[in-house]
Amino acid sequence: MKDAERQVKRITAKSDDFSKWYVEIVQKAELADYTPMKGMMVIRPHGYAVWENIQKGLDLRIKAAGHVNAYFPLFIPESFLKKEAEHVQGFSPEVAWVTVGGKEELEERLAVRPTSEAIIGHMYAKWIKSWRDLPVLINQWANIVRWEKVTRPFLRTTEFLWQEGHTCHETAEEGEAETLAILELYREFCETELAIPVLTGRKSLSEKFAGASMTYALEALMSDGKALQMGTSHNLGQHFSKAFDIKFEDRNQTLQYVWQTSWGMTTRTIGALIMVHGDDSGLRFPPRIAPVQVMVVPISIGDWKETVLPAAAAAVEGLRQAGLRAAIDAREESTPGWKFSEYEMRGVPLRIEIGPRDVKAGQAVLVRRDTKAKETVPLASLGARVPALLDEIQAGLLAQARAFLEANIREADDYARFKDILENQRGFVRAPWCGDEACEARIKTETMATIRVIPLDDRQALTDKPCMACGAKGQALAYFARSY
RNA sequence: CGGGACGUGGCGCAGCCUGGUAGCGCACAUGCUUGGGGUGCAUGGGGUCGGCGGUUCAAAUCCGCCCGUCCCGACCA
């Protein structure tokens, strides 16, 4: 096929138009599709398989940390939502309401949950009586509805999937420890499973969760230089326990309000996988979360059905028995070249080509998705080489993303430099800040950048430099960025 | 929600300015051919032009309103 025509089939180059590139990958790799309802998407089988792997990895860790799963109702009475003032104020602009059931007008309208603190708080008040009931460590996997004005597949949709943990503790210290333990759990998950390095820290007060006393977050850098929040962990203090009257009798027989946390990670992480690892050929999934880790493509020439196909099928069977997610594409209607491109688009980490020449030589050609490097391996040693290669790919993707993140964290001590970086290079800018909300708001208006995180480590965060924007006494070094 | 662009078979587009009832590439179906980077040829099916309304003998084309998508902002996981 002529090059000019081949161009037609390609997706828009990442460097050409990042947003277009993103949307095209989502559709061509069949991760998701639009529906007739604004902002609501279908997560297609290939996208959902990624989500299932994310779920497995997270669920395992959440349970290993002592939590159990439960399920709370989709609907929340309006009066519950109103109990915590800051909470209702923060969420009311984006709540969907149910006002009619069947043919009957409801006495009190029901919110479709934008998050579950309110309904869970109500139930916790019923369940918790004594210090012996604590801690309560419950997580739920659920769908959430937030009536967003601007939507993008995975990054911001009207309905999305997530897990939300809601815990109760005896003391403030325990609550804070839980919040930070989850932050670390998320960080480790992002790096180990998603191969996405993150910056962690606390949010400024203006960016914190509505109703929390402190919000911690993980921020990743997309390859267009914009930041994306990967997850949050909130220390709720006693805001909700006081609003919902969640009290327990402590070890000294005094009534106390519990200390709570909540934390969540969403289907947005799939968007991050696309934007961190994807390239102009399509997706590049890290092996640990890839729906299919190895795709075997038999080279269909001559009597390939008698010679190549059995060898290819045997190879797949061997890989499966080794515990790998391997598949074969033996369809006759597509050519090998077509299949190569297709699985590159879909992000399959490793492709194995087996043709007549290979069968004769007792070998196979392995092609990495991340580097597109090829190597020839004896069929007999696939069982050893493939897992090792997948580990290399996993590590390679993380290393590449980490190098990009580190190369795009820049320092700015003055506002001119700060603006220049955001305008011309993007990425994160580490800069001294005074801690004043008005100053933060001004920076946001003037540069479109927000404080993504303030590092937790005092050695990293403390500064004696003046605020880069207003010149007042600096309070902390903060990471700023334009974000999704 | 403000500013901009766009909306024509499944996808990408041409036609619209200068109204006359729809065309191309890909995809799809069938057959042959080919097959180590999206094979080639032939035949065929599928759209009334985002929706509603208006102007007109006649609207994809002109006008109005609405809806949706994308981009840039304000809001957010």
Side-chain angles (χ1 to χ4, degrees):
Chain A
M1 183 175 268
K2 295 177 202 79
D3 282 352
E5 286 176 81
R6 186 170 288 172
Q7 290 298 323
V8 178
K9 300 186 168 183
R10 282 251 179 77
I11 51 172
T12 303
K14 209 174 169 182
S15 53
D16 247 35
D17 184 338
F18 194 84
S19 298
K20 216 171 169 184
W21 168 84
Y22 176 82
V23 172
E24 285 179 14
I25 284 202
V26 166
Q27 298 229 56
K28 296 202 174 171
E30 298 184 350
L31 296 177
D33 201 2
Y34 294 97
T35 68
M37 294 86 71
K38 176 183 162 65
M40 304 184 198
M41 66 172 183
V42 175
I43 303 177
R44 302 183 66 175
H46 191 227
Y48 201 78
V50 176
W51 179 237
E52 286 178 314
N53 286 336
I54 290 174
Q55 282 184 307
K56 273 180 219 155
L58 260 182
D59 201 60
L60 200 77
R61 286 168 171 78
I62 290 169
K63 284 175 179 158
H67 307 81
V68 290
N69 286 337
Y71 188 79
F72 293 84
L74 171 64
F75 301 124
I76 302 174
E78 180 167 24
S79 55
F80 284 28
L81 225 48
K82 283 182 169 166
K83 284 186 181 178
E84 213 287 333
E86 204 180 315
H87 190 60
V88 65
Q89 211 198 337
F91 281 101
S92 62
E94 51 187 42
V95 170
W97 295 100
V98 177
T99 59
V100 178
K103 286 183 177 174
E104 285 174 41
E105 192 85 21
L106 302 183
E107 274 182 38
E108 179 183 9
R109 58 179 185 164
L110 300 171
V112 180
R113 64 180 160 218
T115 180
S116 302
E117 277 75 8
I119 185 70
I120 291 179
H122 176 86
M123 297 314 294
Y124 281 179
K126 219 173 136 179
W127 296 340
I128 297 168
K129 298 292 169 212
S130 147
W131 64 272
R132 295 179 201 276
D133 296 326
L134 297 173
V136 170
L137 305 172
I138 291 181
N139 175 64
Q140 90 165 337
W141 289 94
N143 57 338
I144 290 297
V145 168
R146 295 183 188 174
W147 219 263
E148 299 289 350
K149 290 176 177 159
V150 177
T151 56
R152 270 146 86 66
F154 294 114
L155 300 179
R156 189 179 302 112
T157 47
T158 303
E159 181 183 4
F160 60 91
L161 307 181
W162 77 354
Q163 58 68 216
E164 50 180 325
H166 296 268
T167 68
C168 299
H169 307 268
E170 275 186 81
T171 64
E173 292 71 31
E174 280 179 42
E176 178 69 2
E178 166 78 2
T179 314
L180 293 174
I182 293 296
L183 186 71
E184 171 56 21
L185 183 155
Y186 283 157
R187 187 201 62 75
E188 187 274 333
F189 171 79
C190 286
E191 299 196 357
T192 307
E193 302 290 333
L194 309 181
I196 296 178
V198 292
L199 295 179
T200 58
R202 63 183 171 90
K203 287 286 187 185
S204 67
L205 291 183
S206 68
E207 296 271 333
K208 81 172 172 54
F209 176 76
S213 48
M214 183 63 82
T215 286
Y216 299 93
L218 303 92
E219 294 279 332
L221 188 61
M222 305 300 103
S223 49
D224 64 345
K226 284 170 80 173
L228 182 75
Q229 183 169 302
M230 298 293 287
T232 47
S233 184
H234 314 291
N235 184 336
L236 301 179
Q238 294 179 311
H239 294 179
F240 285 89
S241 61
K242 285 180 178 168
F244 288 89
D245 208 30
I246 313 172
K247 284 183 289 198
F248 69 101
E249 196 169 329
D250 71 10
R251 293 164 204 247
N252 304 316
Q253 290 182 297
T254 347
L255 278 181
Q256 304 276 359
Y257 288 106
V258 299
W259 298 83
Q260 294 183 280
T261 80
S262 72
W263 27 275
M265 211 177 232
T266 77
T267 35
R268 172 183 269 190
T269 48
I270 298 172
L273 284 169
I274 301 168
M275 293 193 289
V276 168
H277 300 305
D279 65 17
D280 284 349
S281 302
L283 295 166
R284 294 194 308 170
F285 280 140
R288 295 181 65 97
I289 53 91
V292 173
Q293 297 169 309
V294 186
M295 180 59 75
V296 175
V297 179
I299 305 302
S300 42
I301 305 176
D303 59 352
W304 69 282
K305 278 195 205 167
E306 286 74 47
T307 55
V308 174
L309 193 53
V316 172
E317 195 46 43
L319 293 170
R320 281 189 180 153
Q321 287 187 3
L324 299 176
R325 296 189 288 275
I328 181 169
D329 186 347
R331 289 176 304 161
E332 287 184 78
E333 60 270 26
S334 305
T335 60
W338 189 92
K339 292 172 186 171
F340 298 166
S341 301
E342 180 67 12
Y343 297 115
E344 280 168 8
M345 178 61 66
R346 296 170 81 97
V348 178
L350 188 65
R351 177 173 82 238
I352 299 185
E353 306 175 10
I354 302 179
R357 293 203 298 266
D358 300 312
V359 173
K360 270 185 198 138
Q363 64 184 30
V365 178
L366 275 49
V367 187
R368 294 170 64 144
R369 174 62 183 90
D370 60 336
T371 60
K372 298 198 181 177
K374 295 188 180 187
E375 66 177 71
T376 303
V377 170
L379 285 170
S381 46
L382 280 183
R385 183 54 186 149
V386 170
L389 199 47
L390 289 175
D391 286 347
E392 280 178 40
I393 294 169
Q394 182 82 28
L397 286 171
L398 176 62
Q400 199 181 348
R402 195 188 296 283
F404 181 79
L405 171 64
E406 282 167 5
N408 284 286
I409 298 175
R410 298 181 177 83
E411 311 278 336
D413 288 344
D414 65 84
Y415 206 26
R417 164 95 177 120
F418 181 83
K419 284 178 177 166
D420 179 67
I421 295 170
L422 286 171
E423 209 49 55
N424 299 310
Q425 297 171 297
R426 296 209 169 184
F428 287 103
V429 187
R430 207 157 77 104
W433 174 59
C434 58
D436 180 59
E437 277 197 49
C439 176
E440 181 187 8
R442 192 188 118 219
I443 295 168
K444 185 174 179 179
T445 312
E446 292 175 359
T447 67
M448 283 152 39
T450 51
I451 294 175
R452 303 318 301 165
V453 287
I454 300 161
L456 298 182
D457 184 345
D458 278 351
R459 284 165 305 181
Q460 281 180 50
L462 291 182
T463 182
D464 46 17
K465 290 175 181 165
C467 175
M468 62 89 188
C470 68
K473 187 175 180 299
Q475 187 203 64
L477 281 173
Y479 287 93
F480 291 82
R482 290 184 186 166
S483 71
Y484 278 95

